[in-house]
Amino acid sequence: MARPRWLGTAAIYAVLTLLSIVWLVPVMTVVMTAVRPFAEIREGWWNLAGASLTLDNFGRAWQEAGLAGKTMNSLIITGFSVASTVAVGALAAYAFTRMRFRGRGLLYFLLITTMIVPVQIILIPLLPWFRALGFSEGSWQPFLGMVLVHTGFGLGWAVFMLGGFFASVPRELTEAGQVDGAGHLDEFRRIVLPLALPGIVSFAIIDFVFVWNDLLLGLTLLDQEHQPLTVGIANLQSAHLARQDVISAGALLAILPPLVLFVVLNRFYVRGLFAGSVK
Amino acid sequence: MQQAGRARAVPYLFLLPALAAFALFYLWPALNTILSSFFRWSVLSPWTVVDPGRWQFVGLGNYLEVLGDGRFWNAVRNTLIWLVIFPIVTTAFSLAVAVLVWETARAARIFRTVFVLPMTVSLTAAGVLWALVYNPDFGALSAAIGVVGLDGARLDLGPLHLRLGEWLSDVGSLSLGITQIPLVNLTVIAPAFWALTGFGVISFTAGLTALNPELVEAARVEGANAFQVVRHIVVPSLRPAMVIVAVVFVIYALRTFDVVWVTTNGGPGTDTEVVAIPPCCSAG
């Protein structure tokens, strides 16, 4: 024991502090670029001499760059997709964890594959199919189509994660319910759903982040008027090569909702990830 | 009898909405992808399953065409770079961070939050953030490198040619005999690495919480040093988590295109193009 213990601890703190600073640099960069006039940023955002604050960039991103409408689109798509995925996924997860039936293993396997297979595999046929179903035109139809596609793709995770939470609801409780003559639907609504509520919330948060952050589906399936915020940001990035201030403001707008959700519901989120990763 | 029949139908009723969404928006398009790959079609005369009159069967023709296309193999090489670098580096790094954070009992929550927060950032936004960090004129990376006098530095070391400064266009290359590896792929991978490290940290932290503290204490009493404890007790107990984390990262490496599209759009030239870039978005 030549080396004192505190030396090792100090080294660990030093390494982690350094890494944390590196980890925060991109975030600092985007915040500073968004809230300061672009002329100041040219000297480097870390240069704080004579720094001034402005909300101009947000205004421009919101109006000129059209991110106001895209934010609305993202909220609509994400809100309904999460609700739909949770509802459809919870019913399915209940069937898989509480019932025995023919083809159970095969169906479970098929649904789970949506977790692994990249969206790209189905993208090319999906576009004409989307059109054939009438989802490519109209005011609300594209949203509906998008919600259904996201539901199809979120199912694997929903069945996997919600199934895990449902399985942790003690069977004795539900069996007692069945003796009382309660049907499966009653048991689902009155016993399993309330007891697994924390799990459902954590899945909803994860699905929210997932849908909100989708670029690929929004980019390929939707027209300008229905595209989500991610597509707006990506287009800005390629179109306005020298407008880093507006892009930064837009990127912050896109980052904030999942971040706020994460901070507010941190405990649920972490628990959901734990459930997903430990099993 | 009828009662039994109804009871048998109940599970399928619960599954009906899920199976409908799955069949309509996943299985059916996927089958179409497989089927249409054996037929000749184009944007102007798209392939349709309901009109056999227009089917033009070409067998493995499309596959042979792709396999003979140099651009495809270029994309395969870049995807292989992702597949080798991203899962290994991100898994190892997040494991190291999780273990280090675990050792700092007091500040663990603060450190963990810093590494986990970027998980909520979309890869699109991560690409935007890093494009700012990489900016040669006012980005933090060039400035940091400039402080030690290395901005614009060039290093030629055998097969390795390193160029510092133009982070998203020319970072140099590594010659491997059969192929040149454009190092700009690494700067494109970095935002994904930054964003997804949190997933590994959370997963490994979950594994560490489940670790029996008595086991660690016993090993320490027996005279094991910190490194031996990590090597012989912590890492083995995290093996299941490591497999899951690595698999998730492999999936990400295979499907990711957002970062590439936002930072370099597959360029310069086709240097960072990956297999997962959809037809809409390749630089052309």
Side-chain angles (χ1 to χ4, degrees):
Chain A
M1 289 318 274
R3 237 170 3 128
R5 191 85 176 263
W6 65 266
L7 206 66
T9 312
I12 290 174
Y13 271 88
V15 169
L16 284 177
T17 308
L18 192 70
L19 285 174
S20 299
I21 292 171
V22 172
W23 239 243
L24 289 174
V25 162
V27 181
M28 293 295 287
T29 307
V30 77
V31 171
M32 292 294 218
T33 316
V35 301
R36 295 178 63 185
F38 194 47
E40 284 182 18
I41 296 303
R42 288 184 176 283
E43 312 293 315
W45 55 263
W46 50 88
N47 203 333
L48 291 175
S52 52
L53 281 177
T54 174
L55 288 176
D56 277 5
N57 299 327
F58 289 97
R60 265 198 297 257
W62 193 249
Q63 283 174 333
E64 284 167 43
L67 294 188
K70 296 235 177 343
T71 306
M72 204 59 219
N73 294 346
S74 274
L75 285 173
I76 295 173
I77 293 171
T78 311
F80 284 103
S81 295
V82 171
S84 153
T85 309
V86 166
V88 171
L91 280 171
Y94 178 84
F96 281 122
T97 42
R98 297 284 153 145
M99 300 175 180
R100 310 234 143 257
F101 53 91
R102 235 166 216 257
R104 185 168 167 271
L106 177 69
L107 290 176
Y108 187 75
F109 171 78
L110 281 177
L111 289 182
I112 288 294
T113 58
T114 56
M115 283 166 64
I116 301 163
V117 177
V119 188
Q120 280 90 339
I121 299 282
I122 63 148
L123 209 58
I124 295 172
L126 191 58
L127 191 56
W129 182 226
F130 205 70
R131 209 172 288 141
L133 291 172
F135 291 139
S136 59
E137 277 169 288
S139 51
W140 52 268
Q141 289 89 336
F143 289 139
L144 175 64
M146 200 61 188
V147 165
L148 292 173
V149 172
H150 273 304
T151 307
F153 266 89
L155 273 178
W157 283 105
V159 166
F160 178 70
M161 277 185 60
L162 295 178
F165 293 120
F166 290 176
S168 67
V169 174
R171 244 168 204 288
E172 296 76 42
L173 277 179
T174 55
E175 269 155 17
Q178 269 169 359
V179 173
D180 289 345
H184 273 298
L185 205 56
D186 277 340
E187 177 189 319
F188 175 64
R189 271 201 335 225
R190 300 229 179 96
I191 303 170
V192 176
L193 275 193
L195 285 176
L197 193 64
I200 292 173
V201 173
S202 77
F203 171 74
I205 299 169
I206 287 170
D207 199 41
F208 181 98
V209 174
F210 186 75
V211 176
W212 181 270
N213 287 346
D214 160 72
L215 171 71
L216 189 53
L217 289 171
L219 187 68
T220 7
L221 295 178
L222 298 176
D223 57 281
Q224 290 241 326
E225 267 158 55
H226 296 88
Q227 280 170 346
L229 193 50
T230 39
V231 179
I233 310 288
N235 285 341
L236 269 185
Q237 177 77 7
S238 46
H240 294 228
L241 277 174
R243 299 306 310 276
Q244 279 92 352
D245 47 352
V246 179
I247 297 166
S248 298
L252 263 186
L253 283 176
I255 292 172
L256 274 182
L259 196 67
V260 168
L261 208 61
F262 173 83
V263 171
V264 173
L265 297 169
N266 184 16
R267 244 177 328 137
F268 286 114
Y269 189 88
V270 171
R271 188 184 308 174
L273 285 168
F274 275 33
S277 55
V278 173
K279 270 184 214 107
Chain B
M1 193 60 214
Q2 209 183 354
Q3 190 76 20
R6 269 181 56 194
R8 220 174 292 147
V10 168
Y12 300 105
L13 287 177
F14 272 76
L15 283 173
L16 190 63
L19 292 180
F22 173 79
L24 275 178
F25 297 104
Y26 184 82
L27 195 57
W28 175 243
L31 288 176
N32 266 287
T33 299
I34 297 169
L35 261 177
S36 68
S37 71
F38 299 108
F39 293 85
R40 168 82 55 232
W41 54 274
S42 65
V43 181
L44 290 178
S45 63
W47 191 80
T48 140
V49 74
V50 289
D51 189 3
R54 286 174 36 208
W55 288 4
Q56 226 186 313
F57 187 70
V58 290
L60 295 175
N62 292 328
Y63 288 91
L64 293 175
E65 202 174 305
V66 167
L67 292 178
D69 184 355
R71 193 163 169 186
F72 170 72
W73 289 108
N74 173 68
V76 167
R77 181 202 60 200
N78 294 337
T79 299
L80 281 175
I81 299 174
W82 270 87
L83 273 175
V84 172
I85 302 283
F86 179 69
I88 295 177
V89 172
T90 318
T91 308
F93 179 79
S94 54
L95 176 64
V97 168
V99 172
L100 287 181
V101 168
W102 180 62
E103 300 268 358
T104 67
R106 238 169 288 167
R109 275 191 64 169
I110 301 169
F111 283 128
R112 207 172 287 138
T113 309
V114 170
F115 290 103
V116 170
L117 273 185
M119 268 192 75
T120 59
V121 175
S122 66
L123 288 179
T124 313
V128 170
L129 265 57
W130 277 84
L132 292 169
V133 175
Y134 287 143
N135 190 296
D137 298 325
F138 53 84
L141 186 54
S142 287
I145 295 278
V147 168
V148 283
L150 283 174
D151 195 20
R154 323 173 120 238
L155 175 74
D156 296 290
L157 232 170
L160 177 71
H161 304 277
L162 200 58
R163 306 278 176 270
L164 303 179
E166 300 289 329
W167 304 106
L168 289 176
S169 47
D170 183 17
V171 202
S173 64
L174 177 68
S175 315
L176 281 188
I178 37 169
T179 182
Q180 288 261 352
I181 305 241
L183 295 178
V184 59
N185 278 292
L186 302 184
T187 45
V188 172
I189 291 173
F193 165 69
W194 172 80
L196 287 159
T197 288
F199 175 74
V201 172
I202 279 197
S203 306
F204 293 133
T205 304
L208 287 168
T209 331
L211 187 65
N212 185 354
E214 284 168 25
L215 204 62
V216 177
E217 208 37 57
R220 286 210 175 116
V221 170
E222 296 285 323
N225 62 29
F227 179 76
Q228 285 167 326
V229 168
V230 169
R231 166 82 181 72
H232 295 290
I233 297 175
V234 176
V235 170
S237 78
L238 288 180
R239 204 150 279 160
M242 273 156 86
V243 172
I244 289 166
V245 169
V247 167
V248 168
F249 287 156
V250 164
I251 294 169
Y252 260 95
L254 272 176
R255 68 159 61 156
T256 295
F257 96 103
D258 336 34
V259 186
V260 180
W261 197 53
V262 171
T263 50
T264 63
N265 196 7
T270 55
D271 275 0
T272 55
E273 218 165 56
V274 289
V275 175
I277 290 194
C280 70
C281 313
S282 61

